[in-house]
Amino acid sequence: EDGGDKVLVNKFVYHFTEPKNWDVIVFDPPRSNHLFIKRLIGLPNQVIQLVNGDIYADGRILRKPKIVEDSMLYCLYDSTQSESHLNHFYQFDKEAWEISENWRISENHFSINKASGDLKFTYPIDMRIESHKNTNLQVKHGLFEHRNRKNGRSLTHHDDSYSNLKVGDIRVEGKLKINDIVGVWQIVILENEDVFKLLLNLDNSKAEVYKNTEMVWSSSVAISASNEFRFSFSNVDDKLSGFIAGVEFEYLYVNENLAKETHLNGFEFKANDCNLEMSDIKVSRDIHYLLGDNNSAESTEKVVNSNSENTYPTYKPGS
């Protein structure tokens, strides 16, 4: 449909292996003359539920393999791109960052010099999408892309309940350069009542990850003055993961606070008595699943092994 795109399909692979959750498959759908290309979510006999944008199978969150997670993350901010398709929140008429007095930003350069302060990301992390083509879901919910030659392109939204639907599963990544081995640097990610932290204590070269007040991972890291290294911190599918200074980490947790919608999300950088620089900051969000236009769940039920009183769209085998 998009000007001659071609897809190479392996028809024989499932003669030797069974389909798996998150496989990309091509199939003939009922009541349609066109092939569908879709992610495979539910397998035979699995009970599938949609819980605040996440997929649950048989009462447990269905985590994506890393290669699938990487491919499905949607980049909504990239500090290396000043004017591009990623610059699609300009209609809010504000900067991407709420800067304390000690931080300095110049194009793709973030720095703090022997001081303390917070750097809060202010763009909304929600369901707004910029695309060359509107999806049925965008049209249904009154979210569309408006084009005209004079004013360029911007997103117009009419249904606030949809356009402001917050997404809690995000990844923050970039480069960090340490000028003085002193102080504490951290990334803080919020999702409802949960606070997740990636903390780097420069005084003892130790990295730590926290879920609320509990330290769930720690490791020594090799850092030195004027050394630049990459970092990444994700909260996706109830999993904290990433890397810092070449050391990887992963922590799986069970979300005890299931909610029908995310009411609080976002992230910020914090520096305490630091002299450092950051660059190549990229912010991405995960796919947030909603009911499709022509689909309806067979029922709404509670998640198995959950204390939540909420019920969620449920798809059972054969439905």
Side-chain angles (χ1 to χ4, degrees), residues 214-231:
E214 178 187 5
M215 185 174 68
V216 297
W217 174 86
S218 67
S219 175
S220 296
V221 292
I223 55 176
S224 60
S226 299
N227 177 35
E228 184 178 66
F229 53 85
R230 298 200 64 86
F231 64 85

Side-chain angles (χ1 to χ4, degrees), residues 144-266:
F144 62 91
E145 188 178 70
H146 175 71
R147 295 179 177 88
N148 62 63
R149 295 181 180 178
K150 181 178 180 180
N151 297 322
R153 181 168 64 181
S154 64
L155 281 180
T156 305
H157 47 87
H158 295 284
D159 187 337
D160 289 339
S161 64
Y162 176 75
S163 63
N164 293 333
L165 184 61
K166 295 179 174 63
V167 178
D169 286 9
I170 65 174
R171 174 185 291 178
V172 184
E173 53 192 313
K175 290 181 180 178
L176 182 62
K177 181 181 179 183
I178 307 299
N179 296 321
D180 290 323
I181 309 298
V182 63
V184 176
W185 170 91
Q186 58 185 310
I187 306 174
V188 180
I189 294 178
L190 305 177
E191 184 179 19
N192 290 335
E193 282 68 46
D194 287 321
V195 180
F196 308 106
K197 298 179 183 179
L198 169 60
L199 182 148
L200 179 60
N201 192 323
L202 299 169
D203 295 323
N204 59 12
S205 300
K206 188 174 182 180
E208 300 168 345
V209 173
Y210 287 83
K211 179 180 182 292
N212 298 317
T213 59
E214 178 187 5
M215 185 174 68
V216 297
W217 174 86
S218 67
S219 175
S220 296
V221 292
I223 55 176
S224 60
S226 299
N227 177 35
E228 184 178 66
F229 53 85
R230 298 200 64 86
F231 64 85
S232 176
F233 187 35
S234 299
N235 169 42
V236 175
D237 296 337
D238 293 357
K239 177 181 69 176
L240 304 179
S241 62
F243 55 84
I244 185 165
V247 181
E248 297 185 358
F249 58 87
E250 180 177 278
Y251 173 74
L252 309 180
Y253 65 92
V254 176
N255 189 351
E256 301 289 352
N257 184 34
L258 299 181
K260 287 192 173 181
E261 289 187 5
T262 299
H263 58 83
L264 179 64
N265 71 336

Side-chain angles (χ1 to χ4, degrees), residues 5-104:
D5 291 348
K6 292 180 174 60
V7 177
L8 182 64
V9 178
N10 185 343
K11 292 185 176 182
F12 305 105
V13 63
Y14 290 130
H15 289 287
F16 307 101
T17 185
E18 292 295 319
K20 304 181 297 298
N21 297 106
W22 302 113
D23 280 357
V24 176
I25 60 173
V26 179
F27 62 97
D28 290 305
R31 299 178 297 278
S32 176
N33 296 324
H34 300 284
L35 290 174
F36 274 19
I37 304 176
K38 301 289 183 181
R39 288 280 177 185
L40 179 58
I41 302 300
L43 297 178
N45 300 316
Q46 283 186 332
V47 176
I48 300 297
Q49 291 177 287
L50 299 182
V51 182
N52 192 20
D54 289 328
I55 304 293
Y56 276 64
D58 299 330
R60 289 186 172 85
I61 193 166
L62 191 60
R63 295 187 175 94
K64 294 179 281 293
K66 186 178 186 307
I67 189 171
V68 176
E69 178 182 314
D70 291 345
S71 67
M72 296 181 71
L73 286 173
Y74 174 74
C75 180
L76 57 90
Y77 173 82
D78 186 340
S79 67
T80 68
Q81 305 294 321
S82 58
E83 293 291 339
S84 74
H85 70 285
L86 299 174
N87 187 29
H88 50 265
F89 288 113
Y90 56 81
Q91 72 270 26
F92 289 96
D93 193 29
K94 65 179 179 181
E95 300 296 328
W97 303 94
E98 181 181 294
I99 309 169
S100 68
E101 60 181 354
N102 294 320
W103 279 95
R104 298 290 181 268

